[in-house]
Amino acid sequence: MPDMKLKLKIWRQKNAKTKGSFVSYDLDNVSPDMSFLEMLDALNKRLVEAGKEPVAFDHDCREGICGSCGMYINGYPHGPVPGLTTCHLAMRYFNDGDSITIEPWRAKAFPVIKDLIVDRSAFDRIQVAGGFISVTAGAAAEANAILVSKVKSDEAFDSAICIGCGACVASCKNASAMLFVSAKISQFALLPQGKVEAKARVRAMIREMDKQGFGNCSNTGACEAQCPKQIKLTNIARLNREYYKAY
Amino acid sequence: MNKILFSAVSKKFVMALAGLFLLLFLPVHLGINLMLLKDDPQPFNSAAHFMATFPLVKVVEILLFLTILIHVVYGITLQIQNWLSRPVRYEVSNRSETSAFSKFMIWTGGSVLIFLIIHFFNFYFIKLGLVEGDPENFYSIAWQLFTFPGYVILYWVCFILLGFHLFHALQSAFQTLGLKNDFWTPVIRGLALIYAIVLPLGFAVIPLVIWLFK
Amino acid sequence: MITLNAKIPEGPLEEKWTRYKSTTKLVNPANKKKLDIIIIGTGLSGAGSAAALGELGYNVKVFCYQDSPRRAHSVAAQGGINAAKNYKHDGDSVFRLFYDMIKGGDFRAREANVYRIAEVSNQVIDHYTALGVPFAREYGGTLDTRSFGGVQVSRTFYAKGQTGQQCLLGAYSSLNRQINAGTVTMFPRRDMLDIVVIDGRARGIIVRNLLTGEIERHSAHAVVLASGGYGTIYYLSTLAVNSNASAAWKAYKKGAAFANPSFVQIHPTSIPQLNEFQSKLTLMSESLRNDGRIWVPKNKGDKRPANDIPEEERDYYLERRYPTFGNLVPRDVASRAAKERCDAGYGVGDTGLAVNLDFRDAIKKQGKKVIENKYGNLFEMYQHITGLDPYEEPMRIYPAGHYTMGGLWVDYELMTTLPGLFSIGESNFSDHGANRLGASSLMQAAGDGYFILPNTISNYLSGEIRTPRVPTTGAEFDEAEKNAKERIDKLLSIKGKNTSTTFHRRLGKIMWDYCGMTRNEEGLKKALKLVDELRKDFWSDLMVPGEGADLNQELEKAGRVADFMELAKLMITDALNRKESCGAHFREEYQTPDGEALRNDNEYSYVAAWEYNGDNEPILNKEPLKFEFVELKERSYK
C-alpha cells in the first residue's frame, strides 16, 4: 500500500482554564503500517522541529494494555475498528485523502488538561473507594485451598481485563461510568474471594461513582460497542443485582 | 438513606419498576378500548363506568397516577443529569452502533406524556367535572374524536413513538433489574419486540377500523 | 571507594532467609507511623511494597509518571509468573526453581538472593489468588500451570496472555486499599529528578509535577526505587515508550553503584519493525514457542512466500542446533540464533530482519480451535498490527530489547550502596544474573515488593526511629532543586533543530548495533565515540518547545534521553570490561567453536558494580560470586 495524505482536525487547548479550538493540519507520507499514535508522532516531529508545541496526548505501553491512550476519532472512541485501543489502530484502516477529526474524551468527570489529555483520576477514586479484597500480605491461605470453578474464573477474567481507558464514558451518551465500575464489581462478585466484602464494596464504589459527576446508565450499549477489551453489558446487570443485594 | 434512593443505580431501579407497572396497565386499557369496535356503546360505557366507580380501581388509579408522576419526574431528572454530565459536546456525533431507540427515550416519552395530557382533557377531566361533557358516554366522545383526521394522525404518531419507547423500555428495565444474561437477553428482546408492536398496533387499528368499516 | 558488603546471612541455603527474618531488627507499631517511606514507581514491586509497607503502618508516599498507578509497565507482561508449587507433580521444588534461575542466568547471580526469591514465589501466588487475580484454572477448580521458555517443569501460573495485567491490577487494588486507609499517599504524574542525600543517607527526592511543571520536594526516612528497567535505551523495545532510567541514573550519580549495566535481555519473539516512525516493538508472548516452530529458508535470499517453501527447504534451526530444548531454548539463545541466521542472509520479509514462527503443524495436529483458544488474542493482535493472518501464514518475528538484568547494586537487604536507598524489582540487578528466564520477572518484582523489602527495610528503619520527620528546607534540598531547575532551563534554551526523539532513535541504533545481542571490542569502542559525539550534538542541537512551568511532554522526553546518553556509556564500558560471554552478554571474541557463549569463571565470576566518579571514568567495584551450593557448569541446551 502506498503512503497516504491526510487532513487532520485536532482539538488544541493550552490548559484546563483556557478555551480550546480545532486546528487543521495536512499530513503527508503516512505509512499504512504506522499506528495512529505514530501518525501523530510524525505530525509532532514536524511541529517541534518548527519550534511549535506538539499535540499533547497520553500514551505509554503502545501495545493496547496500559489504558493510557484514548482519543475520539471521527465519532468513535479509539477509532472505527472494534476491539482496538488507539495505539493499536493501524493507519491501514484509513484511506488516502481521509479527513480525521480528533477530539479528547468529553465528560464532566474527565476535564481536559491539555489538547487530547483528560483527567481520569475519577476512575482511581472509585477503585480506591472499594475496588479491592482486604487481604494483608502474608495472611493468604494456600492458593489451592480456594477452589473456583473454571467457568466462573474465566468469566471473572473477562471482566477483569478492563484497562481503565475511559472509552466507555467517552462513548456513552450520558458519560456514565457503569461499565467500568461493573467490570470490577463483577470480577470480585464472581470469585469466592470477593464475596466476603461484596456488599460494602458495591455500596462504596457506587457512592464514589455518583460523587464524580458521571451520568446515569440508559442501557444504550455504546460502552460495550466501543470497549477495546469488549467488556460485556451483562456486567452492568450484575452490578445492579449486586447493588440491590447490598441493601 | 438519600444515597440509597438517589444513587445512579437506585434511580434507574425506580424508573424500571414504575415503567413495568405502567406496562401492565396498557393491556387493560387496550382491552377496554377494543370494545369501541362494537356497534353497541353499552359494553364500553359500562366498562368505563366500572373503572370510574369501583373502589378498588380507585386505589389502583391513585397508584397509577403516582407511578406516572414518579416515572416522569425521575425520567426528567435523570435526563438533566445526563445532559450535565457532558457539558462540552463532541464535534462529530457518536457513531457507535447502538440501540437508536435508547437515545430518544426522553423525546418518545415526552410525546407520550403530551398525548396523555390531551387524553386527560378529552376524557379524564370530564369525569372529574373539570371539562364539560358526559362522563357516562365516553363511547361517543371517542367515536367523535376519531372523526377528526388531525387527531387520528396525532394519535398514530404517538403510538408509533410509544412503540419505540416500549421496545427499549422493556429490555432496559430487565437489564436495570439485573435480569440479563446470555440466555434471557435474546428472549427478553423478542418479547419486547412483540409487546412494542402488538400493543400500539392494537390501539392504532381502532380508528382505522372505525374509518373503514363503520 | 565504596565497599560492597552483600550481607548474606550465614547458614545453609534453605535456612538463610528464615534466619534473617527471625533475627532482623523490627520497628514497633507506634514508631512505624512516624517513619516516612518514599517509593518511586507503581509496578508490581512498587505498588506491592507500598501496599505491604502501608499495611505494616508506615507512612508511605508513592510516585509514578503515569496518570494512574494502574498503568505501570508490569501491566504488559504476558506469559506468566513462576512459583515452585509443584502442583503438576513433575519434580519441581524451591531448589529446582533456584537452580534453573542460577543456570539460566549463566552463574552470574548471587545464590542467596536467588534462593530467597524462589522461596517466596509460593507466597506470591497465594497472595495474588487471595487478592482475586483470576489465574487460569483446571476444571476441578485448582490453579493451572504451563511450562515456559527454558525449563522442563510446568511452574508458570498465568491468566491467558495478560498475566502481568492481572497481577498489576491485583497490586493496584492492594495499593488502593492502603490509600483508602490513609497509610499511603499517591502522587501520580511526577517525574523524579533527583535524590536528596543528607549526611550520607537518602532523605528525599525532587520531582517535577508533570501537569503544572512545578518542582516539588518530598522527604522521608528511606527511599525505595521501583522504577523498572532501562530497555528503552534502544529506543525500539518492548517497553512502554515512556519507561526510563532517570530515577536509577540519578541514584547512581548520588552514590548508588550500578551493577552489570550491560546485561540486557533481548526477547526473541517480537513483531519486527515495519515503518520508520515505529515507536515500539510489540511482543508476541514466549508461550507461542510451545506450539510454533521457528524456521528460515535453507536457501539464502529465498523470497518465495513462506507457504510455497517445501518442508525439505526449511531450516528449523533451533531444533537443529538444540535437539533437547528445540524451540524452547532460553531467550538469549533463541535471540542470538535468529540474529545469526538473519546476519547470514537467511532472514525473511522485506527487510530480511525476521524469521518465521510457524503454527501450520500445530494447527494440523491440534486443530484450529485449540490453537485459537490458546493464542487467539495474540493472533488477533498480530493481524491488526501487520495485516497478516497467522492462521494462514507463519508469523514473522525478530528479537527486541526487553528486560534489563543489570540495575542498581543491592545487598541481601535490597539496599543500594547509598544508605537509606533501596531498589526493588527490575530496577535492581539482583536475581537474574546474565539472563532472565521467562515468567521470572513478575515473580521477582512481586516477591521483592510484598515479601522481601517489608522484612529487610525494618532493619534499616529501626535505626531511624529517633530521626524526626525530615524537613524539606535544608541546603541539600535547595541544592538538588537548583540543579534540577538549571537542567530544565538548559534543555529549554538550546533551541536547536532536532527533537529528543530523533536523538533517542540515533542512540538506540548505536546501542542496538554495538551493544545489543552480540558485542565485540572494536564495535564497543566505536560506540563509545559515537555516543560521545551524539551527546555533544544533543546538547547543542536539541529542540524543546514550550515552557518548563506547564505540561510539556517534549521536556519530559528530553530529560530522559539526556540520562540515557550517560547510561549508554556505562553500559558500553561494562560490556567492554567483561571479556567473556555469559547469558545475554555475548562477546564475539569469546565463543566456542560452534558459536555458543564461552564463560570465563576464573576471571569474571563477579558482579561489576560501577561507582560514579564525576567526569572521570567510573570506578569498577567487584563483588565476587561464590557458588557454595551449586556446581558451576557449562550452560548447555543441546
Side-chain angles (χ1 to χ4, degrees):
Chain A
M1 248 167 99
D3 284 359
M4 304 181 282
K5 248 184 183 176
L6 298 173
K7 284 187 194 315
L8 304 173
K9 188 173 160 196
I10 303 176
W11 181 259
R12 302 298 309 258
Q13 182 172 341
K14 177 112 184 88
N15 54 45
K17 285 174 208 109
T18 53
K19 265 190 81 175
S21 62
F22 283 96
V23 178
S24 296
Y25 303 93
D26 288 317
L27 190 63
D28 299 353
N29 302 323
V30 176
S31 152
D33 282 331
M34 283 179 174
S35 72
F36 199 84
L37 298 186
E38 284 160 1
M39 181 274 291
L40 287 178
D41 287 344
L43 171 69
N44 279 346
K45 180 169 188 278
R46 195 180 85 192
L47 292 174
V48 173
E49 283 170 354
K52 292 182 192 146
E53 278 210 56
V55 178
F57 57 90
D58 266 329
H59 64 103
D60 202 18
C61 79
R62 298 210 177 189
E63 53 179 296
I65 195 74
C66 76
S68 294
C69 67
M71 38 193 89
Y72 187 87
I73 302 161
N74 278 352
Y76 298 98
H78 288 306
V81 186
L84 292 186
T85 54
T86 306
C87 63
H88 260 172
L89 177 67
M91 294 313 292
R92 182 172 318 115
Y93 294 109
F94 295 86
N95 299 311
D96 189 31
D98 274 1
S99 297
I100 305 178
T101 305
I102 310 171
E103 304 175 62
W105 284 176
R106 295 283 188 201
K108 185 179 159 202
F110 288 171
V112 174
I113 292 171
K114 182 172 186 166
D115 298 341
L116 303 172
I117 298 181
V118 299
D119 179 359
R120 288 170 291 192
S121 54
F123 270 9
D124 284 319
R125 287 189 287 277
I126 295 172
Q127 299 290 355
V128 165
F132 49 77
I133 291 173
S134 299
V135 55
T136 299
E142 152 61 36
N144 266 350
I146 315 163
L147 295 180
V148 185
S149 98
K150 180 171 163 53
V151 178
K152 290 274 178 207
S153 173
D154 288 351
E155 217 180 325
F157 174 86
D158 290 341
S159 305
I161 56 173
C162 164
I163 56 173
C165 65
C168 47
V169 174
S171 62
C172 175
K173 70 186 180 69
N174 314 322
S176 161
M178 285 284 273
L179 192 68
F180 170 77
V181 179
S182 71
K184 191 45 78 181
I185 292 289
S186 287
Q187 179 197 345
F188 289 151
L190 285 161
L191 296 172
Q193 301 95 300
K195 291 234 157 50
V196 183
E197 296 165 278
K199 290 184 178 183
R201 176 181 309 117
V202 68
R203 280 190 224 151
M205 289 180 79
I206 293 293
R207 201 180 306 135
E208 194 62 37
M209 177 186 87
D210 282 340
K211 258 200 247 168
Q212 302 300 327
F214 292 105
N216 306 288
C217 175
S218 54
N219 304 323
T220 307
C223 52
E224 183 186 46
Q226 291 307 132
C227 173
K229 297 293 149 184
Q230 301 181 316
I231 295 193
K232 291 210 264 167
L233 217 51
T234 40
N235 287 299
I236 298 183
R238 190 179 296 105
L239 163 68
N240 292 336
R241 285 201 296 277
E242 290 294 314
Y243 189 72
Y244 307 142
K245 277 198 267 175
Y247 287 99
Chain B
M1 196 61 197
N2 265 355
K3 284 189 177 125
I4 306 168
L5 276 181
F6 297 103
S7 85
V9 180
S10 315
K11 276 180 291 191
K12 291 289 299 172
F13 181 68
V14 173
M15 257 322 257
L17 277 189
L20 284 178
F21 183 76
L22 297 177
L23 289 185
L24 290 178
F25 167 73
L26 277 178
V28 177
H29 199 316
L30 176 63
I32 296 170
N33 280 22
L34 287 174
M35 295 180 195
L36 281 172
L37 296 178
K38 288 186 182 272
D39 290 331
D40 178 10
Q42 195 48 42
F44 181 83
N45 280 339
S46 7
H49 179 81
F50 174 79
M51 295 302 277
T53 52
F54 192 70
L56 192 65
V57 175
K58 276 272 168 215
V59 177
V60 175
E61 189 181 274
I62 292 167
L63 204 61
L64 185 69
F65 284 137
L66 210 63
T67 310
I68 292 173
L69 189 72
I70 289 172
H71 195 74
V72 168
V73 169
Y74 265 67
I76 291 173
T77 316
L78 283 163
Q79 187 58 54
I80 289 172
Q81 278 180 338
N82 291 346
W83 279 327
L84 292 177
S85 64
R86 178 165 291 133
V88 183
R89 320 295 297 175
Y90 287 114
E91 171 88 355
V92 182
S93 57
N94 196 308
R95 292 162 67 188
S96 314
E97 279 174 35
T98 49
S99 140
F101 303 110
S102 77
K103 294 180 186 168
F104 305 106
M105 288 302 271
I106 190 71
W107 307 117
T108 50
S111 317
V112 173
L113 181 65
I114 290 166
F115 179 76
L116 201 62
I117 292 166
I118 296 170
H119 192 63
F120 280 176
F121 272 97
N122 291 338
F123 297 93
Y124 191 68
F125 290 167
I126 294 176
K127 194 181 84 181
L128 294 185
L130 296 174
V131 176
E132 226 171 286
D134 178 6
E136 291 302 322
N137 199 359
F138 281 161
Y139 182 90
S140 62
I141 299 178
W143 272 68
Q144 210 173 355
L145 280 173
F146 286 146
T147 57
F148 300 121
Y151 180 82
V152 174
I153 288 166
L154 177 78
Y155 180 86
W156 280 342
V157 167
C158 283
F159 274 102
I160 290 170
L161 293 177
L162 178 67
F164 291 166
H165 195 79
L166 292 177
F167 179 55
H168 178 69
L170 235 156
Q171 300 176 64
S172 179
F174 281 105
Q175 159 87 352
T176 298
L177 295 177
L179 304 168
K180 183 172 181 131
N181 60 34
D182 293 338
F183 174 75
W184 282 110
T185 304
V187 176
I188 290 169
R189 196 186 149 80
L191 290 177
L193 190 66
I194 294 169
Y195 188 94
I197 292 174
V198 169
L199 253 252
L201 202 65
F203 281 102
V205 291
I206 295 170
L208 197 69
V209 172
I210 290 174
W211 269 19
L212 291 178
F213 303 110
K214 311 281 168 168
Chain C
M1 187 136 164
I2 50 174
T3 45
L4 300 175
N5 177 5
K7 295 194 229 158
I8 299 165
E10 290 300 312
L13 191 58
E14 59 274 16
E15 284 175 28
K16 285 180 193 290
W17 180 231
T18 314
R19 277 195 200 185
Y20 177 89
K21 282 191 290 182
S22 321
T23 53
T24 188
K25 286 186 221 135
L26 300 176
V27 178
N28 99 35
N31 284 329
K32 280 188 186 135
K33 54 175 163 284
K34 295 181 201 155
L35 293 170
D36 301 331
I37 302 172
I38 281 174
I39 298 172
I40 311 294
T42 58
L44 240 52
S45 66
S49 63
L53 293 168
E55 286 160 9
L56 287 169
Y58 292 108
N59 185 32
V60 184
K61 294 191 258 188
V62 191
F63 298 78
C64 69
Y65 70 74
Q66 298 91 344
D67 70 323
S68 161
R70 68 179 296 154
R71 314 219 190 274
H73 199 58
S74 301
V75 80
Q78 298 173 350
I81 175 165
N82 285 335
K85 287 279 196 188
N86 193 27
Y87 283 163
K88 282 274 160 78
H89 200 55
D90 54 1
D92 201 9
S93 65
V94 170
F95 188 87
R96 194 178 291 277
L97 172 53
F98 152 78
Y99 184 78
D100 284 345
M101 285 179 75
I102 287 279
K103 179 190 168 201
D106 223 354
F107 302 93
R108 289 295 173 265
R110 197 188 283 150
E111 279 184 330
N113 284 53
V114 178
Y115 192 87
R116 176 178 61 184
I117 201 71
E119 211 178 329
V120 304
S121 68
N122 291 342
Q123 270 180 289
V124 169
I125 298 301
D126 294 343
H127 190 53
Y128 277 143
T129 305
L131 284 173
V133 172
F135 287 126
R137 289 187 181 262
E138 309 263 19
Y139 280 100
T142 53
L143 292 168
D144 191 17
T145 54
R146 62 182 168 199
S147 76
F148 211 71
V151 298
Q152 289 170 313
V153 292
S154 174
R155 63 159 75 100
T156 304
F157 295 80
Y158 65 101
K160 289 207 178 140
Q162 278 147 267
T163 319
Q165 184 205 20
Q166 292 310 310
C167 291
L168 180 75
L169 293 180
Y172 168 69
S173 75
S174 58
L175 171 68
N176 283 336
R177 176 171 161 244
Q178 291 312 303
I179 295 173
N180 184 313
T183 58
V184 175
T185 314
M186 185 67 224
F187 295 88
R189 291 202 197 261
R190 303 293 200 289
D191 245 359
M192 196 196 96
L193 299 183
D194 209 355
I195 300 250
V196 180
V197 180
I198 302 176
D199 298 331
R201 285 164 188 268
R203 289 296 190 205
I205 55 169
I206 303 291
V207 297
R208 181 167 177 271
N209 181 328
L210 301 182
L211 287 181
T212 60
E214 206 180 318
I215 307 295
E216 302 171 354
R217 304 171 176 201
H218 297 272
S219 71
H221 295 88
V223 177
V224 180
L225 291 194
S227 50
Y230 47 89
T232 34
I233 197 159
Y234 294 108
Y235 186 69
L236 284 175
S237 77
T238 66
L239 272 70
V241 295
N242 298 311
S243 291
N244 64 84
S246 291
W249 191 248
K250 295 296 159 46
Y252 165 74
K253 290 175 93 170
K254 282 290 171 83
F258 208 114
N260 301 336
S262 69
F263 287 177
V264 182
Q265 178 168 81
I266 310 297
H267 196 291
T269 55
S270 136
I271 300 177
Q273 183 172 1
L274 298 168
N275 76 82
E276 57 159 335
F277 271 93
Q278 191 141 337
S279 53
K280 154 92 191 180
L281 295 172
T282 299
L283 195 70
M284 287 284 104
S285 169
E286 185 163 22
S287 60
L288 291 171
R289 286 200 276 144
N290 285 334
D291 288 303
R293 297 179 71 194
I294 294 176
W295 64 274
V296 292
K298 270 189 185 154
N299 304 319
K300 220 181 243 192
D302 190 339
K303 289 289 164 200
R304 284 178 290 173
N307 287 334
D308 294 352
I309 300 178
E311 188 64 20
E312 59 279 6
E313 288 176 46
R314 298 175 174 201
D315 176 17
Y316 295 91
Y317 58 88
L318 285 177
E319 297 169 26
R320 169 170 59 81
R321 282 177 69 176
Y322 308 99
T324 310
F325 280 72
N327 292 298
L328 295 174
V329 291
R331 292 174 177 177
D332 56 330
V333 179
S335 294
R336 262 195 311 275
K339 178 178 158 60
E340 188 276 326
R341 283 291 83 189
C342 293
D343 287 354
Y346 295 92
V348 300
D350 295 339
T351 56
L353 289 175
V355 298
N356 291 316
L357 174 60
D358 200 339
F359 292 88
R360 188 192 62 180
D361 295 348
I363 291 172
K364 216 183 279 168
K365 211 166 117 197
Q366 305 172 40
K368 192 176 165 186
K369 197 106 209 119
V370 176
I371 296 299
E372 197 180 331
N373 263 336
K374 284 194 206 171
Y375 312 113
N377 51 349
L378 290 168
F379 278 32
E380 213 176 296
M381 192 200 280
Y382 179 86
Q383 191 165 6
H384 276 305
I385 294 173
T386 62
L388 306 171
D389 179 1
Y391 292 106
E392 297 301 323
E393 54 185 311
M395 278 187 179
R396 284 186 197 142
I397 52 155
Y398 197 65
H402 182 55
Y403 183 92
T404 49
M405 284 74 69
L408 294 176
W409 184 89
V410 290
D411 59 22
Y412 191 74
E413 297 185 316
L414 302 182
M415 187 153 84
T416 66
T417 54
L418 173 61
L421 179 71
F422 294 78
S423 174
I424 57 178
E426 192 180 347
S427 74
N428 73 29
F429 88 106
S430 73
D431 296 342
H432 306 295
N435 175 51
R436 180 174 67 72
L437 287 183
S440 291
S441 61
L442 294 181
M443 169 183 75
Q444 184 230 339
D448 278 6
Y450 278 116
F451 296 107
I452 300 175
L453 182 76
N455 282 300
T456 60
I457 202 169
S458 70
N459 202 30
Y460 175 80
L461 288 174
S462 64
E464 290 286 322
I465 51 176
R466 277 175 199 86
T467 311
R469 192 142 282 165
V470 185
T472 55
T473 46
E476 291 85 354
F477 272 98
D478 292 347
E479 174 75 16
E481 181 178 319
K482 192 175 128 253
N483 291 340
K485 281 186 169 158
E486 278 174 7
R487 191 162 97 143
I488 289 172
D489 291 342
K490 200 170 162 201
L491 288 167
L492 285 164
S493 65
I494 304 169
K495 297 280 176 236
K497 285 195 225 38
N498 279 301
T499 69
S500 53
T501 304
T502 303
F503 286 106
H504 195 172
R505 210 180 273 281
R506 283 185 206 157
L507 176 70
K509 177 99 175 62
I510 297 171
M511 296 305 283
W512 183 250
D513 288 346
Y514 301 108
C515 197
M517 267 184 283
T518 64
R519 297 112 189 236
N520 62 55
E521 183 166 337
E522 197 194 352
L524 288 166
K525 284 187 170 155
K526 187 173 168 197
L528 269 185
K529 262 181 59 196
L530 290 173
V531 171
D532 264 338
E533 286 165 21
L534 185 66
R535 204 167 130 202
K536 267 189 217 118
D537 245 23
F538 174 86
W539 286 103
S540 61
D541 192 29
L542 175 73
M543 174 44 132
V544 180
E547 308 143 44
D550 191 5
L551 190 156
N552 188 335
Q553 291 177 318
E554 284 300 307
L555 179 62
E556 295 164 25
K557 279 193 261 178
R560 293 166 189 162
V561 176
D563 291 332
F564 275 134
M565 298 265 179
E566 299 179 17
L567 171 59
K569 279 193 75 175
L570 191 69
M571 273 176 75
I572 299 167
T573 307
D574 184 52
L576 262 175
N577 169 68
R578 195 168 281 277
K579 295 189 173 63
E580 64 161 350
S581 292
C582 61
H585 171 67
F586 191 86
R587 283 282 300 262
E588 287 162 5
E589 303 95 317
Y590 310 100
Q591 52 180 309
T592 62
D594 51 355
E596 301 301 325
L598 187 64
R599 239 173 38 223
N600 180 348
D601 293 328
N602 289 331
E603 289 176 77
Y604 291 96
S605 187
Y606 64 75
V607 176
W610 298 90
E611 180 185 347
Y612 181 64
N613 190 24
D615 291 335
N616 302 315
E617 287 300 302
I619 301 164
L620 173 62
N621 298 273
K622 296 177 184 175
E623 181 202 341
L625 290 169
K626 290 189 215 93
F627 292 91
E628 298 173 62
F629 305 95
V630 299
E631 195 191 334
L632 281 164
K633 271 192 181 152
E634 191 200 331
R635 182 170 159 256
S636 169
Y637 293 93
K638 292 206 177 247

